[in-house]
Amino acid sequence: MAVGVLALQGSFNEHIACLRKLGVDAVEVRKPEQLAGLSGLIIPGGESTTMAKLAEKNKLFPALREFGRSGKPIWGTCAGLIFLADRASGVKAGGQELLGGLDCSVHRNFFGSQLNSFEVELPVPALASQEGGSTTCRAVFIRAPAIFDVGPSVDVLAEYPLAPGQAVEVLLFFTSISCKILYLLSPACTRW
């Protein structure tokens, strides 16, 4: 099995290393033709606006959208999540192009600047009961996006409640038909 990692910017080296540690053939993707023959794709964390500009420059959007429509799994972490979302707020002036395909609304950099970064253990009972392993997952928030709503094709695996007095809960980890690679990576690769 070969899994691609979008290698335009961000933490693609860490994802490549983790896949290889799991014995997966990891492929750096920078051009449309590099998507051929892949079983899945990871879009890593980084800077989502920069990724979008580089994807546009490299003419990747049509090929990435076709890859997503093919039913092959795509997993986005942090900036990759923003890239995959159907709707985004908090984007830079002029907006940014989204790959789309994941029925959710995200807010870019919701948790503030890098100085506001934090880590927390989140309960993941559904994942633990389906896949085994720990009942919690260490979540790292570094200029993290927040998911505010999801469509019916998205299953929420964990939630992070906002401070008292705020009306909504932020949905963080989820899976859908297009994000099942999360199960492959979560038990054996705990350091991102």
Side-chain angles (χ1 to χ4, degrees):
M1 166 173 55
V3 175
V5 178
L6 192 62
L8 300 175
Q9 188 270 342
S11 61
F12 63 90
N13 282 323
E14 291 83 350
H15 286 78
I16 293 281
C18 187
L19 287 168
R20 289 182 177 153
K21 180 179 175 183
L22 293 169
V24 175
D25 181 18
V27 178
E28 293 183 15
V29 175
R30 292 186 177 91
K31 299 176 185 176
E33 59 270 18
Q34 293 170 318
L35 292 165
L38 297 179
S39 299
L41 179 68
I42 297 172
I43 303 175
E47 211 293 313
S48 61
T49 305
T50 301
M51 278 186 198
K53 288 179 181 179
L54 291 170
E56 178 64 31
K57 180 181 174 184
N58 292 335
K59 301 182 184 348
L60 271 163
F61 276 107
L64 288 168
R65 287 190 177 106
E66 181 58 34
F67 189 89
R69 283 191 297 270
S70 76
K72 294 179 181 177
I74 301 176
W75 181 40
T77 61
C78 201
L81 163 66
I82 297 166
F83 212 57
L84 285 171
D86 283 345
R87 299 165 299 280
S89 60
V91 297
K92 291 185 178 179
Q96 76 178 66
E97 189 167 359
L98 301 173
L99 179 58
L102 185 62
D103 188 9
C104 71
S105 298
V106 299
H107 188 287
R108 187 178 176 277
N109 296 339
F110 178 81
F111 291 95
S113 72
Q114 205 139 354
L115 294 174
N116 302 110
S117 299
F118 63 99
E119 296 182 31
V120 64
E121 290 288 328
L122 292 177
V124 288
L127 183 60
S129 69
Q130 292 173 10
E131 303 295 326
S134 177
T135 59
T136 63
C137 176
R138 189 86 177 148
V140 181
F141 297 76
I142 303 173
R143 293 177 47 217
I147 301 169
F148 284 102
D149 68 270
V150 297
S153 65
V154 177
D155 297 319
V156 176
L157 296 180
E159 297 180 71
Y160 177 77
L162 294 174
Q166 292 179 301
V168 297
E169 287 191 341
V170 179
L171 310 174
L172 293 171
F173 296 99
F174 57 92
T175 185
S176 74
I177 293 170
S178 63
C179 293
K180 290 193 180 216
I181 198 165
L182 175 63
Y183 293 128
L184 167 69
L185 296 176
S186 61
C189 192
T190 58
R191 185 168 176 257
W192 287 93

